[in-house]
Each structure stands twice: as C-alpha cells, then as structure tokens.
Amino acid sequence: MSRFKIIPLPLEGLRQITRQYLGDNRGFFSRIFCAEELSSAGWCKPISQINHTQTSKQGSVRGMHFQLPPYAEAKLVTCIRGEVWDVAVDLRKNSSTFLQWHAERLSAENGKALLIPEGFAHGFQTLTADAELLYCHSAPYAPSAEGGLNPQDPALEINWPMAITEISNKDGSHPMLNAQFQGVVL
C-alpha cells in the first residue's frame, strides 16, 4: 500500500507529495519519508540532514536558498504546523523552465510536501503564525556553496500571497538577478 500520492508539477523534476493518513479515534499516523516509494518521484540519495524550522509571524518570508554543486541538494519540505506558501525556482542552466517558479500551499492539514530536485532555489511565506517545517536534505549544508536569490526580485515575479511582514537581512540583501547570472550547472 502506497503511503504517498505523487503528482508531477510544471517544472521538470518538481513533485507534490501528499501523505496518506491512517487514523482512528486516537488520532492518525502518516509517513514523512520512504526511500523506496520516493525513488519513483526522483529522490535517489540517502537523507543527509533533517532540519526543523519554526516561523512565528504570519507573512514572514524565508529564502530563496540553494546550494551550488558539488553540494547541490534535493529537499523534501513538509509543513507540520500551520500553513505556508512554498516556492521553488528552477536554476538549472539548460532547463526549459530556467528561472520559472512554482508554489504550493503546504499545511499540517493537507498533508502535502514539495520534493525539490537539485538545481532549484527554495523559499516560503508563512500564511499562519507559528508555522513549522521539516526539511529532508540529500546533502550536508556547505557554507562555502550557499547561494540565494532575492525573494523580492522583480525579474522572478514571485507573487507572494500577502504583504511580506518579516524577512532576514541576509535574505533581503541577496542581489537582484542580472545578465551575468547563468544558472547552475549540475
């Protein structure tokens, strides 16, 4: 019995993963990750890290983060409390969807996750206060390979669903895209 519904999204390799809940009068059980089942969705490496983030204020934006090769990482992003608008941007140099973005609402209630392949930037906006996410990463964090896009870059045209109430100085100071940005070569 499959514990996930896997839906391909408009950007190649990007997948919506919906957990199947098994429940009774005590509550529910759901699987966050299964290497065997998610291999058909494109996850082909071991989990290197699992990170947990909590964001207090509604309207906050975190991102748009990525790791450069050889530390490029796939991510499985799951909301375990509240609701977020989760965004992935294709940075792969030779991709037909280069610099296009796609967003999904992830919440504790809808059981959806986003499987983001290597070569994408990732960020989110909290649609509720006190939102919590779990991230499964396919590679360890490497500070020297860290990259970021400015979430408010007009070249990306990300339509955040609400006014941005909070953003870190680091995320807000990423440079805007220019002609020198050639993308990520995997």
Side-chain angles (χ1 to χ4, degrees):
M1 177 174 117
S2 177
R3 300 298 174 113
F4 302 106
K5 180 179 179 184
I6 300 169
I7 299 173
L9 296 171
L11 306 182
E12 184 183 339
L14 189 64
R15 304 283 186 263
Q16 179 193 94
I17 310 294
T18 304
R19 297 185 309 279
Q20 304 300 311
Y21 289 97
L22 301 175
D24 59 24
N25 62 336
R26 299 168 296 167
F28 71 88
F29 169 87
S30 76
R31 185 167 289 158
I32 297 289
F33 183 89
C34 175
E36 183 179 344
E37 287 190 59
L38 293 177
S39 67
S40 68
W43 189 282
C44 55
K45 295 183 178 178
I47 292 176
S48 180
Q49 291 181 322
I50 300 174
N51 296 314
H52 179 203
T53 183
Q54 184 271 340
T55 307
S56 299
K57 287 183 132 183
Q58 180 182 28
S60 297
V61 168
R62 290 184 186 258
M64 302 294 299
H65 307 140
F66 60 95
Q67 292 279 111
L68 294 166
Y71 303 99
E73 62 186 356
K75 295 179 184 178
L76 179 66
V77 182
T78 304
C79 184
I80 59 170
R81 183 175 179 198
E83 184 176 25
V84 301
W85 198 67
D86 207 62
V87 181
V89 178
D90 188 349
L91 302 180
R92 299 169 298 181
K93 181 178 181 174
N94 297 317
S95 171
S96 63
T97 56
F98 178 62
L99 292 183
Q100 292 181 27
W101 61 271
H102 181 82
E104 293 285 326
R105 285 181 181 263
L106 308 181
S107 71
E109 286 74 32
N110 72 17
K112 293 180 182 177
L114 205 55
L115 193 152
I116 303 167
E118 294 177 1
F120 278 69
H122 169 258
F124 66 89
Q125 183 173 47
T126 53
L127 301 177
T128 60
D130 295 319
E132 292 186 56
L133 300 178
L134 287 179
Y135 297 72
C136 296
H137 297 262
S138 67
Y141 172 70
S144 64
E146 180 180 57
L149 303 177
N150 191 307
Q152 298 173 310
D153 191 329
L156 294 174
E157 297 180 328
I158 297 173
N159 299 318
W160 299 103
M162 58 180 52
I164 296 174
T165 59
E166 297 283 329
I167 189 169
S168 73
N169 289 336
K170 183 177 180 178
D171 289 347
S173 65
H174 287 301
M176 302 297 177
L177 291 172
N178 58 38
Q180 282 75 28
F181 185 77
Q182 297 298 309
V184 173
V185 178
L186 297 174

